[in-house]
Amino acid sequence: MPADDSILMMQKALQLLEESVKAAIRHKDGPSARSGQPVLERFSAPLGEVDATRWLSAQSLFPKLFWMNREKSEWIAGIGESDRIEISETGPNDRSFLVLDEAMQRKNPQARYIGGFCFNNLQKQNRLWSAFSPGLFILPLVSVEYRDGQASISCSLWLKPGDDRQKALEQLLLTLSELSAGDTPEAAPIPEMTRVDYCPDKAQWIENCETILRNFDEGKLDKVILARQTELSFAGKVPAIRFLLDYPFPENTAYRFYFEPVEGHAFVSFTPERLYRRDGDMLETEALAGTVTKEALKADDIAASELLLNSEKDIREHRFVKDTIYQELQPVCSHIDMQEEVGVLQLNRLAHLLARCKARLLPEFSNDSTVLRQLHPTPAVGGVPREKAMSLILSIEPFCRGWYAAPVGWLSHDAAEFAVGIRSALVNDDKVYLYSGAGLVRGSNPESEWEEVDQKIGDILAITQQTS
């Protein structure tokens, strides 16, 4: 659709929303929270074809949020905040998952919250992650969504007991009147990169890898994911939205997650890895592990698949993930269908071994806190055994993972979808921190694993280079 037509369509949709809110203001006896329970009022208008990332870029209201599934069949772009669920205390991740689930029981079943967790809430979050609580989920004030083949724009008003409905509606109407239909100038380009630093540096990385390999030799561990933080410095503030606008491989089989709670501080992930999708008691998850770098090997998709499927090291690494997921699901599921034949997920620069899994949750476990507890962290981002690997990661990595490799996504009362926040970046004003890791098993080569991390951050690094 031509840009002018798209803007005109958005203007008409916003006008319809404003008219709906005006009608609600006139209807003074509308729903309220007098009963002691919060009330959700939603107003929607249909849309045709729309570029959600461009629309998001044109807005000045924060937070800014974006989610797209791997199949590109469902997405949501949100601005502002109607309601939030925030977990600020440190402690075991299991506790954070339970707090989220308890909070969702008090929310409207139709409300869909977008957000994420930190990787390990036993690790104190440092200043880089100050805008990101250990758990934070937002119900957007205004959202553009695509579901079931239909795009729409909606606004949500979450009224708590004691809130003045008329005043809240009037404020919502004012906000809608100030929104852009997408006709404002595009975000500035990313400024020139001035410096690159690594944490750990290569010498420390090799030393850390050798420490882990000794643990394998002593029989203490089977697999550990070691991560690296790559710090990019720029000549000025980095407009975080450019990472969404300029993602260079739109056909890549990857989730897109963007979370900017305050201006200038954003977490973005282009991750190939699904943690799970839940629809009622039906669960979909997967084992994704083992990597081949197509660029380094000058391999096409067919050659990359052959290399992976014949690699003893990668098959062994993948088996740890597959077996662990199956074992973790057994206590909470009545039926588990794990794909026996391992396939290959093809990306632009990389390929990974993949096995899909479908399961039915037992009635008493049909909730997200159970699934999050059982599946996070998968062996693809933590290790085997889980607790020993997490403890070693905490002691050996010289930086805070924050939301990297943690569950990120959306949830409502009856459904949820979470990805694993890898292949990610944290934008903090004039700094961008890239995060990725490599799976170490017996026989891993530290030099090769360092190069694998370079390949995994390649897509995000390309964004900074093409716009400078």
Side-chain angles (χ1 to χ4, degrees):
M1 178 182 291
D4 288 346
D5 290 348
S6 177
I7 290 169
L8 183 61
M9 176 194 63
M10 181 62 74
Q11 288 171 340
K12 290 180 177 178
L14 286 170
Q15 185 177 359
L16 285 174
L17 278 186
E18 289 183 36
E19 290 172 357
S20 297
V21 175
K22 287 176 182 176
I25 291 173
R26 291 193 298 270
H27 189 60
K28 297 184 183 297
D29 295 328
S32 69
R34 294 192 202 105
S35 63
Q37 298 296 322
V39 168
L40 176 67
E41 284 196 66
R42 278 177 63 84
F43 308 90
S44 296
L47 287 171
E49 185 179 334
V50 61
D51 187 333
T53 57
R54 300 282 172 185
W55 176 82
L56 194 64
S57 173
Q59 309 309 318
S60 58
L61 188 62
F62 291 87
K64 288 187 178 182
L65 321 167
F66 185 81
W67 160 272
M68 178 184 281
N69 66 5
R70 273 191 318 208
E71 298 76 21
K72 303 169 187 63
S73 61
E74 186 173 337
W75 48 256
I76 178 170
I79 56 172
E81 179 182 314
S82 179
D83 186 37
R84 72 163 49 195
I85 301 170
E86 185 169 15
I87 300 158
S88 54
E89 67 271 14
T90 57
N93 280 72
D94 290 0
R95 174 59 186 162
S96 298
F97 301 152
L98 184 61
V99 170
L100 174 67
D101 213 47
E102 290 172 346
M104 285 302 298
Q105 300 307 313
R106 300 188 293 271
K107 303 301 181 182
N108 187 287
Q110 305 305 314
R112 182 156 65 151
Y113 290 74
I114 304 165
F117 295 96
C118 65
F119 176 76
N120 186 350
N121 202 20
L122 293 176
Q123 181 178 37
K124 185 177 180 181
Q125 306 303 294
N126 67 12
R127 61 174 182 81
L128 297 185
W129 295 94
S130 60
F132 297 83
S133 303
L136 181 58
F137 289 80
I138 301 292
L139 173 64
L141 185 66
V142 183
S143 60
V144 176
E145 305 183 35
Y146 184 83
R147 300 172 75 181
D148 303 321
Q150 175 63 52
S152 63
I153 183 168
S154 303
C155 51
S156 299
L157 192 64
W158 182 254
L159 294 169
K160 303 181 185 70
D163 286 351
D164 186 326
R165 177 176 178 269
Q166 292 294 107
K167 187 175 180 181
L169 286 169
E170 289 167 3
Q171 180 59 50
L172 177 59
L173 185 62
L174 177 62
T175 298
L176 290 174
S177 70
E178 294 174 346
L179 293 185
S180 168
D183 50 352
T184 53
E186 196 171 282
I190 294 177
E192 181 183 1
M193 190 191 305
T194 58
R195 183 182 172 114
V196 180
D197 294 289
Y198 302 103
C199 185
D201 61 19
K202 193 169 183 180
Q204 185 63 53
W205 169 271
I206 291 172
E207 185 177 323
N208 290 346
C209 286
E210 289 173 346
T211 297
I212 291 170
L213 292 171
R214 285 195 295 273
N215 275 268
F216 296 155
D217 292 338
E218 295 166 6
K220 296 176 181 178
L221 290 155
D222 295 313
K223 179 180 180 180
V224 174
I225 306 303
L226 196 61
R228 190 186 80 196
Q229 175 182 276
T230 303
E231 179 181 335
L232 311 179
S233 300
F234 293 85
K237 287 189 176 182
V238 176
I241 196 69
R242 291 246 61 111
F243 287 93
L244 270 186
L245 293 172
D246 300 327
Y247 183 57
F249 307 110
E251 299 309 313
N252 238 3
T253 310
Y255 289 94
R256 297 187 211 178
F257 177 79
Y258 182 89
F259 197 91
E260 188 174 8
V262 295
E263 186 174 6
H265 300 270
F267 178 73
V268 58
S269 172
F270 300 103
T271 171
E273 187 173 354
R274 166 182 281 164
L275 184 62
Y276 73 90
R277 180 175 178 110
R278 180 181 70 86
D279 289 290
D281 63 353
M282 296 306 299
L283 188 70
E284 293 180 49
T285 184
E286 64 193 28
L288 186 76
T291 303
V292 67
T293 58
K294 290 189 277 191
E295 283 188 338
L297 298 171
K298 295 181 172 57
D300 60 14
D301 289 357
I302 295 173
S305 295
E306 290 178 353
L307 284 167
L308 270 176
L309 294 169
N310 289 286
S311 165
E312 187 276 334
K313 181 257 186 187
D314 289 299
I315 291 289
R316 181 157 41 93
E317 181 182 345
H318 185 267
R319 190 184 306 121
F320 284 133
V321 178
K322 185 177 175 181
D323 291 349
T324 300
I325 289 173
Y326 187 85
Q327 292 163 9
E328 295 288 358
L329 289 180
Q330 276 191 315
V332 299
C333 293
S334 60
H335 174 75
I336 305 172
D337 180 15
M338 177 70 80
Q339 181 181 338
E340 290 188 15
E341 185 176 347
V342 178
V344 177
L345 180 72
Q346 298 288 350
L347 301 172
N348 177 66
R349 299 168 183 268
L350 308 165
H352 302 289
L353 292 172
L354 172 70
R356 303 182 191 275
C357 177
K358 294 185 177 181
R360 183 183 293 275
L361 293 161
L362 290 165
E364 63 270 32
F365 295 122
S366 298
N367 57 70
D368 293 297
S369 64
T370 291
V371 183
L372 287 163
R373 182 182 69 243
Q374 296 301 111
L375 293 181
H376 175 74
T378 71
V381 292
V384 179
R386 178 193 285 184
E387 296 306 322
K388 286 184 178 179
M390 289 286 278
S391 178
L392 185 56
I393 289 169
L394 197 58
S395 67
I396 206 170
E397 285 185 350
F399 62 92
C400 176
R401 285 196 179 191
W403 281 27
Y404 161 68
V408 295
W410 65 266
L411 79 163
S412 61
H413 188 270
D414 296 320
E417 184 161 12
F418 281 91
V420 182
I422 55 176
R423 317 292 157 82
S424 54
L426 173 68
V427 181
N428 273 349
D429 294 327
D430 62 348
K431 304 277 191 182
V432 175
Y433 302 86
L434 307 184
Y435 297 92
S436 199
L440 300 177
V441 294
R442 191 186 301 269
S444 290
N445 180 290
E447 290 269 0
S448 298
E449 304 298 349
W450 176 273
E451 292 168 7
E452 181 179 308
V453 172
D454 279 339
Q455 289 293 323
K456 287 176 176 176
I457 65 173
D459 287 0
I460 297 184
L461 194 59
I463 298 171
T464 68
Q465 294 166 341
Q466 73 176 359
T467 58
S468 59

